[in-house]
Amino acid sequence: MAAVSPELTNRVDEIERKLAEVMLKQQLRERVTATSRRVDTKAVAPAKTVAAVPAAQPVAPTPAIKSDQTTIQLDPGQGVEVKLVMKAGKSAAFRWTANGGTLNFDTHGDGGGRSISYVKGRGVPQDEGQITAAFDGNHGWFWRNRTNSPVTLSLQTRGEYESFKRIK
């Protein structure tokens, strides 16, 4: 397996720190709610006033950080598409390599009647970075081998996405 770049490692660390921060906030909210319930259920003497602690606001579930990897052999002229199902604003770090060759690629998204092209390349041996979904839907890559020899594509992803799917 190829070495992971420092940039990818730093981004993954940042995502994990943010996830830990959100989980800590949720735990604190749950403790405040539990404390509030205990205060509300205790008998309080009429002369004393107890300020109620406000209940925690419901928090939307945080998507789990997912990671996937795949290896696909592409014969000359063959193409393949891999997509991450993502919510708007969510991010995923990626790294792909065309082991022993080069590939043409198109990083794009589609869903809900919308589409976007993030970046395209020709004759590229590898790429890495981050996709941040512009809208809810499928966001990923299409690769085609335009060389005269088979090329092995290796892809690793890690981030806030719902699923990983190979289309073609």
Side-chain angles (χ1 to χ4, degrees):
M1 186 166 156
V4 178
S5 74
E7 294 84 14
L8 179 58
T9 301
N10 289 341
R11 180 60 186 140
V12 169
D13 289 346
E14 179 183 335
I15 290 169
E16 288 175 342
R17 276 192 300 277
K18 287 180 181 178
L19 179 60
E21 190 176 299
V22 168
M23 292 173 70
L24 179 61
K25 287 180 183 177
Q26 178 62 27
Q27 289 172 349
L28 290 173
R29 284 187 183 114
E30 289 170 359
R31 288 181 188 153
V32 167
T33 300
T35 301
S36 175
R37 288 184 186 134
R38 283 194 302 272
V39 168
D40 290 343
T41 58
K42 288 183 180 178
V44 178
K48 293 184 179 179
T49 304
V50 176
V53 177
Q57 295 297 317
V59 175
T62 302
I65 301 296
K66 293 188 183 277
S67 64
D68 287 281
Q69 63 183 33
T70 190
T71 302
I72 304 164
Q73 175 142 347
L74 296 173
D75 291 326
Q78 186 179 8
V80 67
E81 191 164 16
V82 174
K83 295 286 183 84
L84 306 177
V85 177
M86 302 175 74
K87 296 289 185 188
K90 300 300 179 186
S91 297
F94 68 89
R95 179 176 184 4
W96 64 262
T97 58
N99 301 310
T102 62
L103 294 168
N104 293 356
F105 74 95
D106 178 5
T107 307
H108 61 280
D110 60 76
R114 299 177 69 183
S115 64
I116 187 170
S117 180
Y118 294 112
V119 65
K120 295 180 181 185
R122 291 177 147 319
V124 179
Q126 66 183 29
D127 193 24
E128 64 184 270
Q130 176 179 315
I131 292 179
T132 300
F135 47 82
D136 291 358
N138 300 307
H139 301 271
W141 307 264
F142 176 79
W143 294 274
R144 185 170 307 276
N145 178 4
R146 291 293 187 191
T147 71
N148 294 323
S149 301
V151 174
T152 301
L153 167 67
S154 296
L155 170 66
Q156 297 91 35
T157 60
R158 181 171 174 87
E160 303 169 296
Y161 54 91
E162 296 173 12
S163 64
F164 177 100
K165 57 187 180 179
R166 181 175 167 178
I167 307 296
K168 297 178 184 176

